[in-house]
Amino acid sequence: MIHSLFLINSSGDIFLEKHWKSVVSRSVCDYFFEAQERATEAENVPPVIPTPHHYLLSVYRHKIFFVAVIQTEVPPLFVIEFLHRVVDTFQDYFGVCSEPVIKDNVVVVYEVLEEMLDNGFPLATESNILKELIKPPTILRTVVNTITGSTNVGDQLPTGQLSVVPWRRTGVKYTNNEAYFDVIEEIDAIIDKSGSTITAEIQGVIDACVKLTGMPDLTLSFMNPRLLDDVSFHPCVRFKRWESERILSFIPPDGNFRLLSYHMLSWDVGKINPQKLPSLKGTMSLQAGASKPDENPTINLQFKIQQLAISGLKVNRLDMYGEKYKPFKGIKYMTKAGKFQVRT
């Protein structure tokens, strides 16, 4: 499916490439560079670019373009989701995903990519399973590998790969058993100069950090599950139970993972007094020496609101089955601006 992967920085330099089948020439990226020049911003580069013999599918994160090359038509979201998994894996392995860090850990990067795809098809994409296959880099391990000539590749196949729960390794043990969930919502909106809303939508995710002993079976319920309509789940979620009861039932992966992501075109904000409409006022000042802006500039806003999900989504309770201990549980909410533009 995926023949090659190119990592391109914001300057247009290819600083890493990986091929799973035949080697694809770097010249294929010329089509990507042409699209990059036509786009006003990096985020506006088309995610799918057809060429005479290939398709280029890309994501832009951490100021890096991850460009996959395929030769036959496949569901584009399938490839794009895999590219996001690659970025998330690098961030989990190295703490940050950046060009210098990737270059400093290039051996581990190639080893991880080799395990994530088998002959071009996704194989191991869960971080906790990959860490059993390829040990995360540490200063001590790097020194030992340099002296002995060994690698970060594990000696045994991860136990999770042989179980009915392939996303979770077996034999997990923790002194402190904890489960944290972050409900994070981004608002994408365009407001015209009269104050009217042209577009407004919410992109939301629920990220989890689960460190529980054994094989826990969790259920997560919501006060208002009707808000979750356009939803994408982690493979661990039992979809039939969600369809019938609107309850998330799952055996979680070990560590950090994205439980679900969702999209909303409309949501209920409750009652608003028409005599006292909500408003936000402020002043804008130019940086010293900056050129005078256009007469009617477009302002991009950035903001964060802690402990609030603007859609009104609220978690009701989290229960655990299959284990006898009582874990510590926590839920946090945050709303922040995505692409939020105000036209003046």
Side-chain angles (χ1 to χ4, degrees), residues 9-27:
N9 60 25
S10 54
S11 300
D13 299 322
I14 301 173
F15 66 90
L16 185 139
E17 60 184 276
K18 176 75 173 77
H19 307 278
W20 283 271
K21 296 186 178 181
S22 57
V23 176
V24 177
S25 172
R26 285 189 171 196
S27 62

Side-chain angles (χ1 to χ4, degrees), residues 204-207 222 228 231-234 248 258-262:
V205 299
I206 298 182
D207 288 333
F222 300 93
L228 294 174
V231 191
S232 174
F233 298 103
H234 187 280
L248 295 178
R258 178 153 293 174
L259 181 61
L260 62 87
S261 57
Y262 55 93

Side-chain angles (χ1 to χ4, degrees), residues 273-298:
N273 185 350
Q275 306 302 324
K276 295 182 179 180
L277 294 176
S279 63
L280 181 66
K281 297 181 179 180
T283 59
M284 182 180 68
S285 58
L286 292 179
Q287 186 177 358
S291 58
K292 185 179 179 180
D294 297 334
E295 187 175 346
N296 296 313
T298 297

Side-chain angles (χ1 to χ4, degrees), residues 104-144:
D104 290 342
N105 297 277
V106 66
V107 174
V108 177
V109 167
Y110 278 115
E111 290 172 342
V112 169
L113 290 175
E114 192 64 35
E115 295 297 338
M116 293 188 76
L117 281 184
D118 179 23
N119 198 32
F121 290 87
L123 177 63
T125 58
E126 289 295 337
S127 185
N128 67 102
I129 298 298
L130 283 167
K131 285 179 179 178
E132 290 196 65
L133 288 164
I134 309 296
K135 302 299 181 183
T138 62
I139 296 178
L140 178 60
R141 187 172 292 128
T142 301
V143 172
V144 171

Side-chain angles (χ1 to χ4, degrees), residues 131-135 151-157:
K131 285 179 179 178
E132 290 196 65
L133 288 164
I134 309 296
K135 302 299 181 183
T151 68
N152 288 19
V153 179
D155 297 329
Q156 298 178 345
L157 185 70

Side-chain angles (χ1 to χ4, degrees), residues 185-189 201-202 303 310 335-340:
E185 295 187 344
E186 288 190 359
I187 303 178
D188 297 334
E201 58 186 22
I202 291 175
F303 58 83
I310 196 67
T335 296
K336 59 182 180 179
K339 293 184 178 180
F340 200 107

Side-chain angles (χ1 to χ4, degrees), residues 164-189:
V164 294
V165 189
W167 53 83
R168 183 178 179 85
R169 60 191 180 96
T170 58
V172 181
K173 292 183 180 180
Y174 287 102
T175 303
N176 297 319
N177 292 282
E178 303 168 326
Y180 300 102
F181 295 86
D182 293 332
V183 181
I184 304 172
E185 295 187 344
E186 288 190 359
I187 303 178
D188 297 334

